[in-house]
Amino acid sequence: MTPMQRALDQARAAAARGEVPVGALLLAPDGRVLAGAGNEVEARRDASAHAELLVMRAAAAALGQTRLEGCTLVATLEPCPMCAAAASHFRVARLVFGAYDPKGGGVEHGPRLYHQPGCLHRPEWIGGVSERESAALLRAFFGDLRRAPGSE
């Protein structure tokens, strides 16, 4: 199973818990999985409990260090500005993401943080990996919310 497929599994699990279906993995330089998570914003009542932040924090704790140099962050959605900035601060080497986020993204959209002159660290990044599957999960989740009784 590819890392993105594992991240998609995390996103599906998040959706099953009523969370926005975003999943993430943090891979060590040798490719082993250090951490995996789905969004936990609602469960934790914490607006910062995005999947990306959860895996970066967990991986740093598992490694006993503050930086994730040489590591790869895999996420099912283009990271928001908060998560993109955190990846820079954690010194993540690579970022791989699925669906693009024209409204809330911070890498290819919005502030495009890694293009800013003041950016502390610019990871390599590639977007659009399993984009259709990632986007379909999000569309289905929000479609179901719109159709839910009392959502009007």
Side-chain angles (χ1 to χ4, degrees):
M1 181 180 299
T2 68
M4 184 58 77
Q5 288 303 315
R6 289 174 140 187
L8 283 161
D9 285 347
Q10 293 284 349
R12 286 184 202 94
R17 296 189 306 270
E19 301 279 355
V20 173
V22 176
L25 290 183
L26 205 295
L27 306 175
D30 64 6
R32 69 189 156 91
V33 176
L34 294 172
N39 276 355
E40 294 185 18
V41 171
E42 302 304 325
R44 293 182 185 221
R45 293 186 170 96
D46 177 355
S48 73
H50 291 195
E52 302 95 325
L53 274 174
L54 296 174
V55 298
M56 288 186 282
R57 289 173 180 155
L63 294 171
Q65 56 194 47
T66 58
R67 303 284 186 259
L68 297 171
E69 293 168 348
C71 293
T72 300
L73 173 61
V74 179
T76 59
L77 181 64
E78 176 182 353
C80 71
M82 174 181 67
C83 293
S88 178
H89 284 273
F90 273 104
R91 305 294 194 269
V92 169
R94 279 164 303 289
L95 165 64
V96 177
F97 65 86
Y100 291 92
D101 189 354
K103 290 182 182 178
V107 178
E108 293 281 339
H109 296 90
R112 299 179 54 177
L113 288 173
Y114 305 141
H115 292 281
Q116 300 305 316
C119 183
L120 299 171
H121 167 77
R122 292 172 180 82
E124 298 172 17
W125 76 88
I126 183 169
V129 176
S130 299
E131 178 181 9
R132 286 186 190 137
E133 194 172 353
S134 297
L137 275 174
L138 290 158
R139 275 194 306 276
F141 178 82
F142 287 111
D144 289 347
L145 279 182
R146 285 189 290 278
R147 288 187 292 277
S151 64
E152 297 173 7

Coordinates of all heavy atoms in Angstrom, one line a residue, residues 31-85:
G31 N 11.8 6.0 4.8 CA 10.5 5.6 4.2 C 9.6 5.0 5.2 O 8.4 4.8 4.9
R32 N 10.0 4.6 6.4 CA 9.1 4.0 7.4 C 8.2 5.1 7.9 O 8.5 6.2 8.0 CB 9.9 3.3 8.5 CG 10.6 4.1 9.4 CD 11.5 3.3 10.3 NE 12.6 4.2 10.8 CZ 12.5 4.9 11.9 NH1 11.5 4.8 12.7 NH2 13.5 5.7 12.3
V33 N 7.0 4.6 8.3 CA 5.9 5.5 8.8 C 6.3 5.8 10.3 O 6.3 4.9 11.1 CB 4.5 4.9 8.7 CG1 3.5 5.8 9.3 CG2 4.2 4.6 7.2
L34 N 6.4 7.1 10.6 CA 6.6 7.5 11.9 C 5.3 7.9 12.6 O 5.2 7.7 13.8 CB 7.5 8.8 12.0 CG 9.0 8.6 11.5 CD1 9.7 9.9 11.4 CD2 9.7 7.7 12.5
A35 N 4.3 8.4 11.8 CA 3.0 8.7 12.4 C 2.0 8.8 11.3 O 2.3 9.1 10.2 CB 3.2 10.1 13.2
G36 N 0.8 8.5 11.7 CA -0.4 8.7 10.8 C -1.5 9.2 11.6 O -1.7 8.9 12.8
A37 N -2.3 10.1 11.0 CA -3.5 10.6 11.7 C -4.5 11.2 10.7 O -4.1 11.5 9.5 CB -3.1 11.7 12.6
G38 N -5.7 11.3 11.1 CA -6.8 12.0 10.4 C -7.1 13.2 11.2 O -6.7 13.3 12.4
N39 N -7.8 14.2 10.7 CA -8.3 15.3 11.4 C -8.9 14.9 12.7 O -9.7 13.9 12.8 CB -9.2 16.2 10.6 CG -8.6 17.1 9.6 OD1 -7.4 17.2 9.6 ND2 -9.4 17.8 8.8
E40 N -8.7 15.7 13.8 CA -9.3 15.5 15.1 C -9.8 16.8 15.7 O -9.9 17.0 16.9 CB -8.3 14.8 16.0 CG -8.0 13.4 15.6 CD -7.1 12.7 16.6 OE1 -7.0 13.1 17.8 OE2 -6.4 11.7 16.2
V41 N -10.2 17.7 14.8 CA -10.6 19.1 15.2 C -11.8 19.0 16.2 O -11.9 19.6 17.2 CB -10.9 20.0 14.0 CG1 -11.6 21.3 14.4 CG2 -9.6 20.2 13.3
E42 N -12.8 18.2 15.7 CA -14.1 18.1 16.5 C -13.9 17.3 17.8 O -14.3 17.7 18.9 CB -15.2 17.5 15.7 CG -15.5 18.3 14.4 CD -15.9 19.7 14.6 OE1 -16.5 20.1 15.6 OE2 -15.5 20.6 13.8
A43 N -13.2 16.2 17.7 CA -13.0 15.3 18.8 C -12.2 16.0 19.9 O -12.5 15.9 21.1 CB -12.3 14.1 18.4
R44 N -11.2 16.8 19.5 CA -10.3 17.5 20.5 C -10.9 18.9 20.9 O -10.3 19.5 21.8 CB -8.9 17.6 20.0 CG -8.2 16.3 19.9 CD -6.8 16.5 19.4 NE -6.1 15.2 19.1 CZ -4.9 15.0 19.5 NH1 -4.1 15.9 20.0 NH2 -4.3 13.8 19.2
R45 N -11.8 19.3 20.1 CA -12.3 20.7 20.3 C -11.1 21.7 20.2 O -10.9 22.6 21.0 CB -13.1 20.9 21.6 CG -14.4 20.2 21.6 CD -15.2 20.5 22.8 NE -16.5 19.9 22.7 CZ -16.9 18.8 23.3 NH1 -16.0 18.0 23.9 NH2 -18.1 18.3 23.2
D46 N -10.3 21.4 19.1 CA -9.1 22.2 18.9 C -8.9 22.5 17.4 O -8.7 21.6 16.6 CB -7.9 21.3 19.4 CG -6.5 21.9 19.1 OD1 -6.4 23.0 18.5 OD2 -5.6 21.3 19.5
A47 N -9.1 23.7 17.0 CA -9.0 24.1 15.6 C -7.7 23.8 15.0 O -7.6 23.8 13.8 CB -9.4 25.6 15.5
S48 N -6.7 23.6 15.8 CA -5.4 23.3 15.2 C -5.1 21.8 15.1 O -4.0 21.4 14.6 CB -4.2 23.9 16.1 OG -4.1 23.2 17.3
A49 N -6.1 21.0 15.4 CA -5.9 19.5 15.3 C -6.0 19.0 13.9 O -6.8 18.0 13.7 CB -6.8 18.8 16.3
H50 N -5.4 19.6 13.0 CA -5.3 19.1 11.6 C -4.4 17.9 11.5 O -3.4 17.8 12.3 CB -4.8 20.2 10.7 CG -5.7 21.4 10.5 ND1 -5.6 22.3 9.5 CD2 -6.8 21.8 11.2 CE1 -6.5 23.2 9.6 NE2 -7.3 22.9 10.6
A51 N -4.7 17.0 10.6 CA -4.0 15.8 10.5 C -2.5 16.0 10.3 O -1.6 15.4 10.9 CB -4.5 15.0 9.3
E52 N -2.1 17.0 9.5 CA -0.7 17.3 9.3 C 0.0 17.7 10.6 O 1.1 17.3 10.8 CB -0.6 18.5 8.2 CG -1.2 18.2 6.9 CD -2.6 18.7 6.8 OE1 -3.3 18.8 7.8 OE2 -3.0 19.2 5.7
L53 N -0.6 18.6 11.4 CA 0.0 19.0 12.6 C 0.1 17.8 13.6 O 1.2 17.7 14.3 CB -0.8 20.1 13.3 CG -0.4 21.5 12.8 CD1 -1.4 22.6 13.4 CD2 1.0 21.9 13.1
L54 N -0.9 17.0 13.6 CA -0.9 15.9 14.5 C 0.3 14.9 14.2 O 1.0 14.5 15.1 CB -2.2 15.1 14.5 CG -3.4 15.9 15.0 CD1 -4.7 15.1 14.8 CD2 -3.3 16.3 16.4
V55 N 0.5 14.7 12.9 CA 1.6 13.7 12.5 C 3.0 14.4 12.7 O 3.9 13.7 13.1 CB 1.5 13.1 11.1 CG1 0.2 12.3 11.0 CG2 1.6 14.1 10.0
M56 N 3.1 15.6 12.5 CA 4.4 16.3 12.7 C 4.8 16.3 14.2 O 5.9 16.0 14.5 CB 4.4 17.7 12.1 CG 4.5 17.7 10.6 SD 4.7 19.3 9.8 CE 3.0 20.0 10.0
R57 N 3.8 16.6 15.0 CA 4.0 16.6 16.5 C 4.4 15.2 16.9 O 5.3 15.0 17.7 CB 2.8 17.1 17.2 CG 2.6 18.6 17.0 CD 1.2 19.0 17.7 NE 1.0 20.4 17.5 CZ -0.3 20.9 17.5 NH1 -1.3 20.1 17.7 NH2 -0.4 22.2 17.4
A58 N 3.6 14.2 16.5 CA 3.8 12.8 16.9 C 5.2 12.3 16.5 O 5.9 11.6 17.2 CB 2.7 11.9 16.4
A59 N 5.6 12.6 15.2 CA 6.8 12.1 14.7 C 8.0 12.8 15.4 O 9.0 12.1 15.8 CB 6.9 12.4 13.2
A60 N 7.9 14.1 15.7 CA 9.0 14.7 16.4 C 9.1 14.1 17.8 O 10.2 13.9 18.3 CB 8.7 16.2 16.5
A61 N 8.0 13.9 18.5 CA 8.0 13.2 19.8 C 8.6 11.8 19.7 O 9.5 11.5 20.6 CB 6.6 13.2 20.4
A62 N 8.2 11.1 18.7 CA 8.8 9.7 18.6 C 10.3 9.7 18.3 O 11.0 8.8 18.8 CB 8.1 9.0 17.4
L63 N 10.8 10.7 17.6 CA 12.2 10.8 17.3 C 12.9 11.5 18.4 O 14.2 11.5 18.4 CB 12.4 11.6 16.0 CG 11.9 10.9 14.7 CD1 12.0 11.8 13.5 CD2 12.7 9.6 14.5
G64 N 12.2 12.2 19.3 CA 12.9 12.9 20.4 C 13.6 14.1 19.9 O 14.7 14.4 20.5
Q65 N 13.1 14.8 18.9 CA 13.8 16.0 18.4 C 12.7 17.0 17.9 O 11.5 16.7 17.8 CB 14.7 15.6 17.3 CG 14.0 14.8 16.1 CD 15.0 14.2 15.2 OE1 16.0 13.5 15.6 NE2 14.8 14.3 13.9
T66 N 13.2 18.2 17.7 CA 12.3 19.3 17.3 C 12.2 19.4 15.8 O 11.3 20.1 15.3 CB 12.7 20.6 17.9 OG1 14.1 20.9 17.5 CG2 12.7 20.6 19.4
R67 N 13.1 18.8 15.0 CA 13.1 19.0 13.6 C 12.9 17.6 12.9 O 13.2 16.6 13.5 CB 14.4 19.5 13.1 CG 14.8 20.9 13.7 CD 14.0 22.0 13.1 NE 14.5 23.3 13.6 CZ 13.9 24.0 14.5 NH1 12.8 23.6 15.1 NH2 14.4 25.2 14.9
L68 N 12.3 17.7 11.7 CA 12.0 16.5 11.0 C 12.8 16.5 9.6 O 12.2 16.2 8.6 CB 10.5 16.4 10.7 CG 9.6 16.3 11.9 CD1 8.1 16.5 11.6 CD2 9.9 15.0 12.7
E69 N 14.0 16.8 9.8 CA 14.9 16.9 8.6 C 15.0 15.6 7.9 O 15.1 14.5 8.5 CB 16.3 17.4 9.0 CG 16.2 18.9 9.5 CD 17.5 19.4 10.1 OE1 18.3 18.5 10.5 OE2 17.6 20.6 10.4
G70 N 14.9 15.6 6.5 CA 14.9 14.4 5.7 C 13.6 13.7 5.7 O 13.5 12.7 4.9
C71 N 12.6 14.1 6.4 CA 11.3 13.4 6.5 C 10.3 13.9 5.4 O 10.5 15.0 4.8 CB 10.6 13.6 7.8 SG 11.5 12.8 9.2
T72 N 9.3 13.1 5.1 CA 8.3 13.5 4.1 C 6.9 13.5 4.8 O 6.6 12.5 5.5 CB 8.3 12.4 3.0 OG1 9.6 12.4 2.4 CG2 7.2 12.7 1.9
L73 N 6.2 14.6 4.5 CA 4.8 14.7 5.0 C 3.9 14.4 3.8 O 4.1 14.9 2.7 CB 4.6 16.1 5.4 CG 3.1 16.5 5.8 CD1 2.6 15.7 6.9 CD2 3.1 18.0 6.1
V74 N 3.0 13.4 4.0 CA 2.0 13.0 3.0 C 0.7 13.4 3.5 O 0.3 13.0 4.6 CB 2.1 11.5 2.7 CG1 1.1 11.1 1.6 CG2 3.5 11.1 2.3
A75 N -0.1 14.2 2.7 CA -1.4 14.6 3.1 C -2.4 14.5 2.0 O -2.0 14.7 0.8 CB -1.4 16.1 3.6
T76 N -3.6 14.2 2.3 CA -4.6 14.1 1.3 C -5.1 15.4 0.7 O -5.8 15.4 -0.4 CB -5.8 13.2 1.8 OG1 -6.4 13.9 2.9 CG2 -5.4 11.8 2.2
L77 N -4.9 16.5 1.3 CA -5.3 17.8 0.9 C -4.2 18.8 1.0 O -3.3 18.7 1.9 CB -6.5 18.3 1.7 CG -7.1 19.6 1.4 CD1 -7.8 19.6 0.0 CD2 -8.1 20.0 2.5
E78 N -4.1 19.7 0.0 CA -3.1 20.8 0.1 C -3.1 21.4 1.5 O -4.2 21.9 1.9 CB -3.4 21.8 -1.0 CG -2.5 23.0 -0.9 CD -2.8 24.1 -2.0 OE1 -3.7 23.8 -2.8 OE2 -2.2 25.2 -1.9
P79 N -2.0 21.4 2.2 CA -2.0 22.0 3.5 C -2.5 23.5 3.6 O -2.2 24.3 2.7 CB -0.6 21.9 4.0 CG -0.1 20.7 3.2 CD -0.7 20.8 1.9
C80 N -3.2 23.8 4.6 CA -3.7 25.2 4.8 C -2.4 26.0 5.2 O -1.3 25.4 5.5 CB -4.7 25.2 5.9 SG -4.0 24.9 7.6
P81 N -2.5 27.3 5.3 CA -1.4 28.1 5.6 C -0.8 27.8 7.0 O 0.5 27.7 7.1 CB -1.9 29.6 5.7 CG -3.1 29.5 4.7 CD -3.7 28.2 4.8
M82 N -1.6 27.4 8.0 CA -1.1 27.0 9.3 C -0.2 25.8 9.2 O 0.9 25.7 9.7 CB -2.2 26.7 10.3 CG -1.8 26.2 11.6 SD -3.3 25.9 12.7 CE -4.1 24.5 11.9
C83 N -0.7 24.7 8.5 CA 0.1 23.5 8.3 C 1.3 23.6 7.4 O 2.3 23.0 7.7 CB -0.9 22.4 7.8 SG -2.2 21.9 9.1
A84 N 1.1 24.4 6.4 CA 2.3 24.7 5.5 C 3.4 25.4 6.3 O 4.6 25.0 6.2 CB 1.9 25.5 4.3
A85 N 3.0 26.4 7.1 CA 4.0 27.1 7.9 C 4.6 26.1 9.0 O 5.9 26.2 9.2 CB 3.4 28.3 8.6

